[in-house]
Amino acid sequence: MQRRSHGVQKAKYHWQSQNVKQSGVDDMVLLSKITEDAIVENLKKRYMDDYIFTYIGPVLISVNPFKQMPYFTEREIELYQGAAQYENPPHIYALTDNMYRNMMIDGENQCVIISGESGAGKTVAAKYIMGYISKVSGGGAKVQHIKDIILQSNPLLEAFGNAKTVRNNNSSRFGKYFEIQFSRGGEPDGGKISNFLLEKSRVVSQNDSERNFHIYYQLIEGTSAQQKEGLGIMTPDYYFYLNQSGTYKVDGTNDSKDFHETMEAMQVIGIPGDIQAQVLQIVAGILHLGNISFIEAGNYGQVESMDLLAFPAYLLAIDPNRLQEKLTSRKMDSKWGGKSESINVTLNQEQATYTRDALAKALYARLFDYLVEAINKAIQKPHEEFSIGVLDIYGFEIFQRNGFEQFCINFVNEKLQQIFIELTLKAEQEEYVQEGIKWTPIQYFNNKIVCDLIENKLNPPGVMSVLDDVCATMHAKGEGADSTLLQKLQAAVGIHEHFNSWNSGFVIHHYAGKVSYDINGFCERNRDVLFPDLIELMQSSEHDFIRSLFPENLNTDKKSRPTTAGSKIKRQANDLVNTLMKCTPHYIRCIKPNETKRPKDWEESRVKHQVEYLGLRENIRVRRAGFAYRRIFTKFLQRYAILTDETWPRWRGPEQQGVLHLLRSVNMDIDQYQMGRTKIFVKNPESLFLLEEMRERKFDTFARTIQKAWRRYIARKKYEQMREEASDILYNSKERRKHSINRNFVGDYLGLEQRPELRQFLAKRERVDFADSVNKFDRRFKSIKRDLILTPKGIYLIGREKVKKGPEKGQIKEVLKRKLEFGSISGISLSTRQDDFFILHEAQYDSLLESNFKTEFLSLLSKRYEDVTRRKLAISFTDRLEFRVKKEGWGGGGSRVVVFQNGMGDQAQLKPAGKTLTITVGNGLPKSSKPTRKSGPQSRGGGQNHKASRAHQNGANQFFRGPKQSDITYSSPHKQSRPPQTALPKLGFQKAARVSTHNHSNQGNMDFLNVPDEGMSGKQRKQSIGQRPPPAPKPQPRPQGPRCRALYQYIGQDTDEISFEFNDVFDLVKEDPSGWWTGRIRGKEGLFPGNYVEKI
């Protein structure tokens, strides 16, 4: 959360910054009036302000902007990753992230059904979903390769499967269900594409103002001069298969650039170079095949120009004479008197043209299937774990002339609408009844009646069944079959209220409006038979690749009825529905705002028609009256068990009681949920976010606990290593103090981050290795306080002086007394006893210092000295030390002597006499002592001091400093031992959960582009059409326990310690005999030294 909001603050100009314009409502469940007009007005308001996404609960409505929007960058990906749906404005990334997280958390396959009419933006939506998943899922090089293939499959399949239509410049002319498969860790490691009903007829003919598939124009524009020569590439108007529509260019499309992307995609997917070349040869070969024309010669078809046979035959590596033979004649099996014989039948001009087109369509369709299979082979995995399916299928469409392809396309869309109705309107309401939830039914139009009209097998037979029966009795070309079909349809379904017939076809009242279908060609396209002669011809190709596209065995007798295109699409549609039903579905409803394909152009009647037939009003009403979230008790308990001790790790008791316990533990209002027989129903998404946020906080707390333990472990290892390295310097040379040998190293004992008065002497980013308050002894052996700081640049000794002049006269200020470069240091001298004295020898004069943390200082100084000077620091140990003093005035510098003698106790006693200082101290630990590795609590305190107990200045307040610097004393807390582990603070204190409540929020007759007549579906659709709870009781104030006031500043030195300033008052949770007490300040509980505070 913090990271995301920070990203928003950082970029003030961003579309999701705080001062964003409010446009309508983000979620149409919140509309004050639920009418089609109110929905259209809200969508328009948002669309005009460039907000193309709107919610209806979990359903995403997307309006095609017909321009590139600015909110699909890396910033948005970061913003939506892991965020709850209502944290940010509606976005396809929010739906995708929700889908991905549900898959990971619930272990269930997900799918997204993208529906809408042609040109509503379905394909682009699918691309954004795949792009987002690729960005947010992890993985190494192998996974990245899979991601690349998944993303590169888009330009490849678009080149071969998309085309410009009157309604859409990049219309999908095939259906695609793309399953992205994931490992248990959420990394995409495989995938599978299922493709449906490629519009093969487009290869050989197109309507006015339309184009053939993109690849043909890419080939013409993008190939090199050498390739053009080898493939016989001419201008597009030269080819019959391209020049029928008179349209060759598309606004905003660069065919040459797209060609290179297509070739790069083939490379990434792993299609070998020689196969890539043959793919292009087949595409070019189909173009040249289309230029073979026929003339009628005595009722027989004959090739008009033999020259035009040579090039397609060369490209397809077949014999030109055989090509001519197979295009103008056909082998027929004749049975007479129990005998079977083959005879050659010569075709007429129309039949020859039909045969040529059949070959072109078969070649292209099989090439397309090969490309899909090549992608599947590149990304297949042996076993499925999790998957997200993306359904991008051709949209509902109405053209000037609607043939068999439009009939199949609109049938599939009818089935998708049925899924949406089944799962969002019908199933949801039925579930409430089954679970015993109080519910008032909401009426809606169920389009199952239209689906049955098309696909029923019997009583009455549907359009597809009648069509298959007619095709089964067709002969050869089948003249008159279409009119037979029309008669049989009239007899079978003529009285159906969603069906009408007209002189050239029939009308179906689809959910999206009435569509008139031209019966001409229905039977032939449904039969979809490729004659054995053509298969035999292609199997004679010299290219292995082309032969592999035609694997049929022509020697086997086929007695079964051939599969028709209609029955195939019906089977595929029902298989698709079954696949989708096994997943957790998500919905994107795409809306096309105009037919001009221009941004900010809003056609009110068109949008209203889509809002009506998509059932958005009913969807809002069901969502508003219903429940946003439902889960069976077991799954709900599994997900939220972590929230309470009673439910974690397992609830012992009836599941329903466990769910109730969880809901009460988060104080959820009773009107926000209902308990069903097997499921819990939660009304508002905000209530669910409360649970989710508390769950996230729990996990966050546990993660911090693990991190803390890990950091402590790493720090302990590091400190142990530092202690051992430091002890090696003193090993066998100096006695050790029992209280300090196992002490942790801290480095900065002055808290320099909060001490600007000391940091002023250092460079801006100068790192501090060590900082401590030490005693420095002058020529008369009088001690004075100095702050000793070690950095990579040298040693600083900082003192304090009274200002003698100026406005600050009389004030005590920090002064840099001495800075020592490493190069000028000649060595360090120490005694062999357990004292804390050491002499720093330097070129001009030496310094006698005393520090509790001398071992740590020596260790760090040795490392820095060696790094800078490339030589070891000279360290000597003797009980008679000599040091040179600074020259002052006329007097000579001279030297002083420090003698160490055996005495009593751990405290050093000082006796100055003239130029000699005698220090007596009792025996310490043997010189051979080493720090012990302890996993338990560690002693922290420094050694005992002479005259007064004192320690590092962890921040004793300035107020307590006396005017005479030589008389300053410091109180010294000593951690003798830690309290037992049970006294450590408990983790996971919950703050009140925040609930998000903010809501944002051509040529010829073109009449077919108008909003279609709603028909019977529209009429039926039109026919079918509390008190605020008392506030929760306030929590009782916690009874106040003992408190304490800080006498000094204390800066916590470990993750389980608290910090406080002078005079802070805070809770005293527990006193411990060790001297380390437990307190609570600013919501944090932790350890602190008891002698830094007074109880109040």
Side-chain angles (χ1 to χ4, degrees):
M1 277 290 294
Q2 286 174 342
R3 177 173 57 77
R4 284 191 291 273
S5 59
H6 173 71
V8 172
Q9 288 164 4
K10 196 165 62 178
K12 294 273 170 78
Y13 58 88
H14 192 240
W15 74 292
Q16 285 151 337
S17 58
Q18 304 308 315
N19 57 356
V20 78
K21 184 177 176 184
Q22 188 71 28
S23 298
V25 294
D26 282 0
D27 189 336
M28 291 196 286
V29 171
L30 302 169
L31 283 173
S32 52
K33 280 171 67 182
I34 309 176
T35 63
E36 262 94 10
D37 289 336
I39 295 168
V40 171
E41 185 54 35
N42 189 66
L43 291 173
K44 179 182 181 181
K45 205 179 286 183
R46 293 178 63 74
Y47 178 75
M48 290 304 180
D49 286 335
D50 281 343
Y51 294 104
I52 63 171
F53 298 119
T54 310
Y55 292 131
I56 297 177
V59 176
L60 182 71
I61 312 299
S62 171
V63 185
N64 191 344
F66 292 108
K67 64 178 181 179
Q68 181 60 48
M69 304 307 285
Y71 36 77
F72 295 97
T73 66
E74 297 282 341
R75 191 183 283 109
E76 281 75 38
I77 289 173
E78 186 180 322
L79 199 67
Y80 282 91
Q81 191 176 352
Q85 182 177 321
Y86 289 92
E87 267 184 56
N88 297 308
H91 203 292
I92 196 166
Y93 288 167
L95 178 136
T96 311
D97 191 74
N98 184 35
M99 193 162 53
Y100 180 68
R101 281 190 297 149
N102 283 358
M103 177 192 73
M104 295 303 300
I105 292 162
D106 297 330
E108 292 174 355
N109 291 344
Q110 311 284 310
C111 69
V112 57
I113 300 169
I114 311 171
S115 56
E117 58 187 57
S118 182
K122 298 182 299 299
T123 299
V124 176
K127 284 190 208 170
Y128 282 131
I129 289 169
M130 291 204 251
Y132 181 85
I133 290 170
S134 174
K135 289 282 185 189
V136 301
S137 51
K142 186 180 174 215
V143 169
Q144 189 55 48
H145 179 60
I146 295 291
K147 288 182 185 178
D148 290 343
I149 294 172
I150 289 169
L151 295 177
Q152 288 292 341
S153 68
N154 281 322
L156 181 61
L157 294 182
E158 276 188 26
F160 284 85
N162 287 29
K164 177 197 179 332
T165 68
V166 181
R167 290 185 173 273
N168 183 358
N169 288 345
N170 185 32
S171 178
S172 299
R173 307 317 297 164
F174 71 107
K176 175 177 71 173
Y177 183 63
F178 201 138
E179 275 182 85
I180 306 171
Q181 294 164 351
F182 295 84
S183 66
R184 299 218 166 259
E187 298 164 344
D189 59 354
K192 183 175 150 195
I193 297 176
S194 307
N195 63 306
F196 312 96
L197 192 75
L198 179 74
E199 188 190 31
K200 293 186 290 189
S201 61
R202 185 165 293 271
V203 175
V204 299
S205 66
Q206 309 86 40
N207 295 330
D208 283 349
S209 301
E210 298 194 352
R211 295 206 312 178
N212 207 320
F213 292 103
H214 293 326
I215 185 63
Y216 292 111
Y217 308 92
Q218 292 180 9
L219 185 76
I220 290 168
E221 295 293 329
T223 44
S224 64
Q226 187 180 353
Q227 284 176 309
K228 280 185 170 66
E229 189 179 340
L231 298 171
I233 299 297
M234 311 290 279
T235 55
D237 56 356
Y238 169 75
Y239 301 105
F240 175 69
Y241 282 167
L242 303 184
N243 64 22
Q244 297 166 63
S245 69
T247 302
Y248 309 112
K249 296 281 183 190
V250 177
D251 291 341
T253 300
N254 184 334
D255 290 315
S256 176
K257 177 172 164 284
D258 290 348
F259 175 74
H260 295 295
E261 284 183 13
T262 302
M263 298 310 291
E264 188 187 335
M266 282 203 238
Q267 193 68 37
V268 170
I269 285 155
I271 296 173
D274 59 326
I275 301 295
Q276 290 179 34
Q278 287 185 41
V279 166
L280 298 184
Q281 278 184 236
I282 292 171
V283 174
I286 291 169
L287 284 180
H288 288 287
L289 203 59
N291 279 12
I292 299 171
S293 56
F294 304 92
I295 52 172
E296 194 80 41
N299 288 334
Y300 296 126
Q302 189 177 312
V303 173
E304 188 174 7
S305 170
M306 299 298 284
D307 295 344
L308 293 173
L309 281 168
F311 219 86
Y314 158 71
L315 290 172
L316 300 174
I318 52 178
D319 182 77
N321 295 323
R322 286 196 74 178
L323 175 61
Q324 180 198 0
E325 179 195 336
K326 297 299 180 187
L327 291 178
T328 54
S329 67
R330 183 179 306 153
K331 197 183 287 180
M332 300 282 283
D333 288 336
S334 172
K335 287 188 177 179
W336 184 259
K339 291 184 178 179
S340 177
E341 60 175 325
S342 291
I343 54 169
N344 266 341
V345 177
T346 310
L347 307 177
N348 62 26
Q349 182 192 7
E350 187 187 351
Q351 290 170 328
T353 303
Y354 172 82
T355 305
R356 176 201 69 191
D357 290 349
L359 177 60
K361 289 189 288 186
L363 265 170
Y364 194 84
R366 291 177 184 224
L367 178 60
F368 187 79
D369 287 341
Y370 162 78
L371 293 173
V372 171
E373 193 51 40
I375 296 167
N376 283 338
K377 277 183 181 168
I379 55 178
Q380 70 182 356
K381 59 185 274 193
H383 59 282
E384 285 189 30
E385 289 168 293
F386 299 141
S387 71
I388 290 178
V390 181
L391 180 64
D392 171 24
I393 208 155
Y394 23 55
F396 182 88
E397 60 187 23
I398 305 173
F399 291 122
Q400 178 83 43
R401 181 193 171 278
N402 301 291
F404 177 72
E405 281 84 0
Q406 277 67 48
F407 174 71
C408 292
I409 285 169
N410 292 341
F411 162 66
V412 173
N413 278 273
E414 200 78 54
K415 291 290 284 186
L416 291 182
Q417 175 68 1
Q418 198 189 356
I419 288 185
F420 185 78
I421 287 168
E422 282 281 335
L423 296 179
T424 61
L425 300 175
K426 182 170 179 276
E428 183 161 336
Q429 297 197 71
E430 286 174 356
E431 185 178 42
Y432 295 147
V433 174
Q434 287 165 8
E435 288 285 331
I437 301 295
K438 293 171 193 165
W439 181 254
T440 306
I442 287 166
Q443 297 301 312
Y444 58 91
F445 167 65
N446 191 339
N447 73 328
K448 186 175 187 301
I449 189 170
V450 184
C451 293
D452 290 345
L453 165 65
I454 296 170
E455 64 174 342
N456 246 13
K457 285 190 175 176
L458 296 165
N459 302 326
V463 174
M464 282 185 166
S465 293
V466 175
L467 177 59
D468 282 353
D469 285 341
V470 172
C471 288
T473 56
M474 272 176 69
H475 295 289
K477 175 72 178 67
E479 289 90 347
D482 291 331
S483 54
T484 306
L485 169 64
L486 197 53
Q487 289 167 13
K488 290 204 170 187
L489 283 175
Q490 186 62 42
V493 292
I495 57 169
H496 197 290
E497 58 187 341
H498 289 261
F499 179 91
N500 304 118
S501 60
W502 57 296
N503 56 355
S504 298
F506 60 93
V507 177
I508 287 184
H509 299 232
H510 286 285
Y511 77 102
K514 283 163 67 173
V515 182
S516 301
Y517 294 104
D518 188 335
I519 202 84
N520 185 34
F522 251 69
C523 293
E524 198 55 60
R525 284 176 179 172
N526 183 51
R527 258 183 99 200
D528 196 29
V529 175
L530 185 63
F531 295 112
D533 299 69
L534 297 179
I535 296 172
E536 197 181 303
L537 173 68
M538 298 320 296
Q539 287 179 346
S540 70
S541 172
E542 291 172 16
H543 292 325
D544 291 343
F545 174 62
I546 291 177
R547 287 203 302 274
S548 72
L549 298 178
F550 294 84
E552 289 91 341
N553 184 354
L554 296 176
N555 297 323
T556 57
D557 287 339
K558 278 195 174 179
K559 292 187 180 177
S560 60
R561 185 195 278 192
T563 307
T564 61
S567 59
K568 185 178 175 186
I569 194 66
K570 186 164 81 170
R571 189 190 71 246
Q572 287 179 327
N574 286 310
D575 288 348
L576 176 63
V577 167
N578 292 333
T579 303
L580 297 173
M581 289 290 199
K582 288 175 190 167
C583 305
T584 303
H586 304 260
Y587 305 95
I588 301 175
R589 311 291 264 165
C590 296
I591 287 178
K592 187 178 186 181
N594 60 61
E595 277 297 340
T596 61
K597 307 186 192 82
R598 287 204 305 262
K600 296 281 176 95
D601 187 2
W602 185 267
E603 292 179 28
E604 195 88 9
S605 59
R606 176 168 299 284
V607 177
K608 188 174 180 183
H609 177 65
Q610 291 171 78
V611 164
E612 285 173 356
Y613 77 63
L614 288 172
L616 299 191
R617 185 190 59 176
E618 292 83 358
N619 192 205
I620 293 170
R621 288 176 64 202
V622 171
R623 175 55 51 185
R624 195 157 166 166
F627 295 84
Y629 173 88
R630 77 279 327 266
R631 265 288 185 275
I632 58 171
F633 295 144
T634 317
K635 290 220 165 189
F636 186 86
L637 271 172
Q638 277 173 0
R639 182 154 180 75
Y640 299 110
I642 199 169
L643 295 184
T644 70
D645 293 338
E646 292 80 4
T647 51
W648 180 261
R650 200 154 49 93
W651 169 257
R652 299 179 188 280
E655 288 176 341
Q656 192 169 6
Q657 293 303 314
V659 171
L660 277 170
H661 171 78
L662 280 170
L663 295 171
R664 286 168 187 154
S665 74
V666 297
N667 297 322
M668 190 178 287
D669 291 341
I670 199 157
D671 65 342
Q672 283 300 303
Y673 64 88
Q674 277 197 49
M675 302 294 284
R677 294 188 177 98
T678 62
K679 292 180 180 178
I680 167 72
F681 292 82
V682 179
K683 193 159 189 62
N684 288 328
E686 288 82 1
S687 304
L688 184 64
F689 297 152
L690 166 73
L691 287 163
E692 283 295 311
E693 187 155 333
M694 294 187 78
R695 182 176 178 272
E696 289 288 328
R697 286 187 181 190
K698 276 283 187 186
F699 276 117
D700 190 51
T701 303
F702 292 159
R704 287 173 189 273
T705 305
I706 293 165
Q707 287 171 348
K708 179 179 169 184
W710 174 249
R711 285 184 188 131
R712 185 185 291 160
Y713 170 76
I714 292 297
R716 187 178 292 139
K717 286 281 183 196
K718 179 186 165 192
Y719 289 140
E720 281 176 359
Q721 187 184 348
M722 284 174 68
R723 277 205 312 268
E724 285 181 13
E725 288 172 1
S727 72
D728 289 343
I729 296 171
L730 308 183
Y731 187 65
N732 281 337
S733 299
K734 188 171 175 67
E735 292 175 0
R736 305 298 304 275
R737 285 190 180 279
K738 63 183 176 187
H739 293 303
S740 68
I741 191 165
N742 286 321
R743 182 186 60 77
N744 277 345
F745 286 1
V746 174
D748 179 7
Y749 296 92
L750 296 178
L752 285 181
E753 279 186 18
Q754 281 83 37
R755 303 284 296 276
E757 72 277 13
L758 296 178
R759 281 217 73 109
Q760 65 175 314
F761 303 109
L762 278 56
K764 193 170 185 181
R765 288 188 179 82
E766 194 169 346
R767 183 180 159 181
V768 174
D769 292 331
F770 179 85
D772 181 30
S773 182
V774 302
N775 287 328
K776 181 217 176 252
F777 293 84
D778 63 10
R779 63 180 59 240
R780 297 180 185 82
F781 304 115
K782 280 182 73 176
S783 80
I784 192 165
K785 284 289 169 193
R786 291 284 185 264
D787 290 325
L788 171 71
I789 300 174
L790 171 67
T791 77
K793 292 187 176 179
I795 298 171
Y796 298 81
L797 281 166
I798 299 165
R800 283 151 192 84
E801 287 181 358
K802 196 178 279 187
V803 179
K804 294 175 181 174
K805 292 179 185 175
E808 295 179 335
K809 184 179 178 182
Q811 291 185 24
I812 293 173
K813 287 278 183 184
E814 282 70 15
V815 179
L816 181 63
K817 288 292 188 178
R818 194 170 190 197
K819 183 181 178 187
L820 304 173
E821 305 285 344
F822 292 120
S824 67
I825 297 170
S826 56
I828 301 277
S829 297
L830 301 95
S831 76
T832 62
R833 303 195 170 272
Q834 64 158 329
D835 60 277
D836 291 325
F837 292 86
F838 61 94
I839 297 172
L840 205 53
H841 297 286
E842 198 258 351
Q844 292 182 320
Y845 60 94
D846 307 330
S847 295
L848 173 62
L849 305 171
E850 182 191 23
S851 169
N852 278 349
F853 310 115
K854 63 183 182 306
T855 311
E856 184 177 351
F857 171 71
L858 274 176
S859 168
L860 293 166
L861 174 61
S862 298
K863 281 184 182 174
R864 283 292 173 209
Y865 185 86
E866 197 169 338
D867 289 346
V868 174
T869 64
R870 298 282 184 261
R871 60 178 188 271
K872 285 198 177 296
L873 178 66
I875 303 174
S876 60
F877 299 90
T878 174
D879 286 343
R880 187 179 187 281
L881 305 178
E882 191 171 322
F883 68 98
R884 290 173 300 121
V885 294
K886 185 180 178 183
K887 242 181 176 182
E888 286 184 353
W890 294 99
S895 61
R896 300 290 183 270
V897 174
V898 185
V899 177
F900 294 85
Q901 294 178 351
N902 193 17
M904 298 293 289
D906 293 337
Q907 282 192 339
Q909 303 295 325
L910 278 63
K911 289 183 185 174
K915 294 186 178 182
T916 302
L917 173 67
T918 304
I919 299 174
T920 58
V921 66
N923 292 328
L925 296 175
K927 295 176 183 178
S928 58
S929 300
K930 280 267 195 182
T932 55
R933 287 176 179 262
K934 288 186 181 177
S935 58
Q938 302 255 337
S939 164
R940 282 278 185 100
Q944 299 298 315
N945 201 2
H946 59 279
K947 294 187 183 173
S949 129
R950 73 116 174 99
H952 65 275
Q953 180 194 351
N954 192 312
N957 198 278
Q958 198 73 37
F959 175 79
F960 287 94
R961 288 197 176 163
K964 267 182 86 179
Q965 296 218 359
S966 58
D967 295 332
I968 295 173
T969 59
Y970 291 73
S971 75
S972 173
H974 298 296
K975 279 192 188 177
Q976 300 301 338
S977 65
R978 286 280 182 92
Q981 285 296 315
T982 51
L984 289 175
K986 282 196 175 180
L987 295 161
F989 290 99
Q990 293 291 337
K991 295 177 189 171
R994 178 178 58 77
V995 179
S996 169
T997 55
H998 181 64
N999 286 294
H1000 301 303
S1001 1
N1002 288 333
Q1003 294 170 330
N1005 181 3
M1006 289 295 178
D1007 289 347
F1008 67 91
L1009 292 177
N1010 295 337
V1011 177
D1013 187 335
E1014 294 181 329
M1016 183 54 67
S1017 297
K1019 285 179 189 168
Q1020 291 190 354
R1021 193 161 49 240
K1022 283 186 170 62
Q1023 286 168 10
S1024 67
I1025 298 300
Q1027 248 189 343
R1028 191 181 170 92
K1034 289 186 178 175
Q1036 293 294 316
R1038 190 168 52 197
Q1040 202 139 37
R1043 310 195 62 158
C1044 53
R1045 180 184 284 110
L1047 298 173
Y1048 309 98
Q1049 176 198 46
Y1050 182 73
I1051 293 161
Q1053 316 249 317
D1054 210 336
T1055 51
D1056 59 353
E1057 295 178 14
I1058 57 173
S1059 302
F1060 45 78
E1061 300 294 325
F1062 164 66
N1063 237 9
D1064 275 353
V1065 175
F1066 55 93
D1067 296 339
L1068 175 57
V1069 176
K1070 185 179 177 186
E1071 295 180 56
D1072 193 274
S1074 68
W1076 282 91
W1077 296 357
T1078 304
R1080 187 186 298 108
I1081 184 168
R1082 290 182 284 277
K1084 183 181 177 184
E1085 197 169 292
L1087 300 170
F1088 68 94
N1091 57 355
Y1092 269 52
V1093 302
E1094 63 178 2
K1095 287 166 71 175
I1096 53 174

